């Protein structure tokens, strides 16, 4: 079974919306505003590209990333990696042609089936609603969280507010950085 890894920039109060400056959110770009950049805090992002063998995205994140990431050298490893977009509305004509093989999945059942295939880890970037659904369905195996020392209040959250049984996590890697950023890697305990 393939490992499904959710990776996120997250505020201390759980917000993941518009970390890189996406329009339409009051605190857009919160990952770099008034935050000293320390390259070592982001080493995990390069490691993710080297270790992942596929990328999973929701439609909104795909539509935000696909016009930009294919041409960015920082994301070169993702360009050739197979991508899967979970959407009930996206069609093949909505896919970009310069970002490698992309498959549309129509349900979380199809994600579960993908996890049963041969291959290495699948990484989930962005995709707040997808992350919530995957978590609630018990499909996420690991979280890579870069926690920013900010309280953003309103905004899309990484985790849903669904009333469900306790989900236990095991901290397997962590580090705190001089700028207040924290790296927390959790395995989901089954």
């Amino acid at each position: 079974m393939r490992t499904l890894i959710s990776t996120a920039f997250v505020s201390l109060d759980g917000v993941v919306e518009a970390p890189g400056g996406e329009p339409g959110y009051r605190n857009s770009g919160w990952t770099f505003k008034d935050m000293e950049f320390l390259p070592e805090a982001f080493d995990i992002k390069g490691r993710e590209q080297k270790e992942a063998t596929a990328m999973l995205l929701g439609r909104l994140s795909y539509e935000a990333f696909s016009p930009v990431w294919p041409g960015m050298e920082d994301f070169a490893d993702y360009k050739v990696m197979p991508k899967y977009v979970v959407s009930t509305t996206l069609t093949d004509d909505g896919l970009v042609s310069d970002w490698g093989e992309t498959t549309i999945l129509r349900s979380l059942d199809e994600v579960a089936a993908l996890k049963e295939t041969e291959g290495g880890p699948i990484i989930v970037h962005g995709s707040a609603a997808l992350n919530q659904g995957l978590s609630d369905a018990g499909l996420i195996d690991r979280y890579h969280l870069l926690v920013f020392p900010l309280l953003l209040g309103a905004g899309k959250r990484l985790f849903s507010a669904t009333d469900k049984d306790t989900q236990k996590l095991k901290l397997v890697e962590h580090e705190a950085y001089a700028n207040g950023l924290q790296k927390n890697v959790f395995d989901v305990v089954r």
Side-chain angles (χ1 to χ4, degrees):
M1 179 180 288
R2 298 173 82 170
T3 302
L4 188 60
I5 301 168
S6 171
T7 182
F9 294 146
V10 60
S11 68
L12 191 58
D13 57 349
V15 174
V16 294
E17 186 168 356
E22 300 81 357
Y25 175 60
R26 175 183 178 174
N27 294 312
S28 185
W30 51 269
T31 58
F32 56 85
K33 288 181 182 173
D34 302 319
M35 178 66 61
E36 177 189 1
F37 178 76
L38 296 176
E40 62 272 20
F42 297 90
D43 284 346
I44 193 169
K45 306 318 282 174
R47 192 174 82 205
E48 288 170 349
Q49 282 191 69
K50 298 296 182 199
E51 293 174 358
T53 60
M55 187 188 307
L56 183 68
L57 299 162
R59 179 187 55 81
L60 292 176
S61 291
Y62 177 81
E63 289 174 345
F65 298 160
S66 64
V68 181
W69 282 22
M72 294 179 70
E73 191 162 321
D74 286 345
F75 301 116
D77 291 327
Y78 286 140
K79 185 169 183 168
V80 297
M81 188 178 295
K83 281 158 257 347
Y84 298 88
V85 182
V86 181
S87 174
T88 58
T89 58
L90 186 66
T91 58
D92 286 337
D93 62 342
L95 300 176
V96 298
S97 61
D98 63 342
W99 205 22
E101 174 191 345
T102 304
T103 303
I104 300 170
L105 304 178
R106 298 293 181 199
S107 68
L108 294 181
D109 288 338
E110 289 187 37
V111 175
L114 174 64
K115 283 186 63 174
E116 297 291 332
T117 63
E118 293 294 319
I122 304 165
I123 193 108
V124 182
H125 277 281
S127 309
L130 176 60
N131 263 291
Q132 291 178 7
L134 293 168
S135 178
D136 289 349
L139 294 173
I140 295 177
D141 301 297
R142 176 172 274 201
Y143 290 95
H144 289 183
L145 305 178
L146 285 178
V147 182
F148 286 72
L150 304 167
L151 299 175
L152 297 174
K156 294 178 184 177
R157 309 238 175 236
L158 181 61
F159 300 103
S160 76
T162 301
D163 185 12
K164 60 183 178 182
D165 291 338
T166 300
Q167 176 73 75
K168 293 183 180 172
L169 305 174
K170 178 181 178 185
L171 184 65
V172 295
E173 184 180 340
H174 63 91
E175 193 161 349
Y177 302 96
N179 62 358
L181 199 63
Q182 296 177 30
K183 172 181 63 182
N184 294 300
V185 177
F186 294 98
D187 281 343
V188 175
V189 177
R190 304 244 188 255

